[in-house]
Amino acid sequence: VYHTPEEIPTHTIPDCAIAVDVLRATTTMSTALAAGAEAVQVFSNLDELKHVSEQWPSEKRIRAGERGGAAVEGFDFGNSPLGCTSDAVSGRRLFISTTNGTRALKSIESAKTVLAAALVNRSTVVGHLVQNPAQTLWIVGSGWEGSYSLEDTVCAGAILQGLAESLGVSVTALAGNDEAIAAVALYLTWKDDLVGLLRNASHGQRLLRLNCDDDIVYCAQLDTLDVLPIQREPGVLVAQAV
Ligand code: MLT
């Protein structure tokens, strides 16, 4: 488990790397793909997003931009998963750039398998890991501008706890670092009040100031979406049939 993209080892290519941004980018991506989006294409940079998406038919694209939790002017969407209804996204490609989550995905794009996980699709991600064991598995929190974030760590813990239970092994047998053991302890402490944890987290507080409590409640749901966002080409995620 790595708390932020800045922590991941350089010069190592893992078998599988999972980006986590519970509030809200990977929850939004999972929701868009579950609602029938053709793909999600991620960008660190807003200008690059605009440039690349110009080449896509306008009726087949949605452009989502978020900075500091707020929607960026001139984009179709911000980063609320609640906007990703099937009416809005079905058959379309979501071009998205967010403060931290899309940057985390870009930082792991050379892994052999790249997944996006959130609490909502935790059990589907665990099911994939059980079926496709990885020798080296990274779970990378998006954090906030280089610093630790509580909700991404709790999701990493939820994934590891689910994996340990499915494989019938102890968490310590799976954990590659102390962060992994700490993440599971955090999840076990908060698993019955994930909404409470998200509301207490610093980015949860930021979203509450932006009147986004409905998003927090949605993002705190565990195992509600059966969708596996998997990278098909660098920066492009699709839903793999599960
Ligand atoms: C991010 O990438 O930092 C976020 O997903 C922020 C947000 O929109 O809540």
Side-chain angles (χ1 to χ4, degrees):
V1 170
Y2 298 107
H3 293 138
T4 66
E6 285 75 9
E7 289 180 11
I8 62 178
T10 45
H11 311 303
T12 308
I13 297 187
D15 294 325
C16 180
I18 305 175
V20 176
D21 187 4
V22 171
L23 291 174
R24 295 164 291 176
T26 55
T27 305
T28 296
M29 293 172 198
S30 301
T31 304
L33 290 170
E38 174 262 330
V40 172
Q41 186 160 356
V42 300
F43 296 84
S44 313
N45 181 288
L46 292 165
D47 288 333
E48 193 194 351
L49 183 162
K50 280 190 190 153
H51 177 70
V52 172
S53 61
E54 283 301 316
Q55 283 131 57
W56 207 256
S58 58
E59 70 285 4
K60 293 276 182 196
R61 72 172 185 228
I62 294 180
R63 301 199 272 200
E66 168 276 332
R67 287 295 179 266
V72 180
E73 217 181 301
F75 283 71
D76 306 316
F77 274 24
N79 186 24
S80 171
L82 300 177
C84 296
T85 60
S86 61
D87 273 358
V89 303
S90 185
R92 302 198 169 103
R93 178 170 292 207
L94 183 68
F95 293 86
I96 182 166
S97 178
T98 70
T99 314
N100 305 287
T102 53
R103 212 167 48 89
L105 272 159
K106 296 298 282 177
S107 74
I108 57 169
E109 70 182 6
S110 53
K112 290 182 195 143
T113 300
V114 174
L115 305 175
L119 292 169
V120 287
N121 67 338
R122 185 277 305 242
S123 65
T124 308
V125 169
V126 169
H128 174 86
L129 297 172
V130 171
Q131 295 300 318
N132 303 273
Q135 277 289 73
T136 331
L137 170 66
W138 293 354
I139 307 177
V140 182
S142 299
W144 187 267
E145 295 179 339
S147 57
Y148 176 90
S149 107
L150 205 53
E151 67 279 9
D152 295 342
T153 308
V154 91
C155 183
I159 294 169
L160 283 173
Q161 175 66 18
L163 192 55
E165 280 170 13
S166 302
L167 297 173
V169 300
S170 70
V171 164
T172 44
L174 286 180
N177 60 11
D178 288 355
E179 286 84 339
I181 296 171
V184 173
L186 188 69
Y187 168 66
L188 293 176
T189 303
W190 285 89
K191 68 182 170 52
D192 296 325
D193 186 16
L194 293 170
V195 181
L197 176 113
L198 266 56
R199 284 186 181 136
N200 276 297
S202 56
H203 186 49
Q205 295 281 309
R206 184 180 293 109
L207 289 173
L208 286 174
R209 290 192 292 275
L210 292 165
N211 295 318
C212 296
D213 190 46
D214 290 351
D215 280 2
I216 294 176
V217 171
Y218 179 87
C219 294
Q221 299 174 104
L222 189 65
D223 302 340
T224 48
L225 294 181
D226 195 10
V227 66
L228 185 74
I230 189 163
Q231 181 174 266
R232 188 178 60 195
E233 61 194 77
V236 178
L237 300 166
V238 295
Q240 177 166 294
V242 284

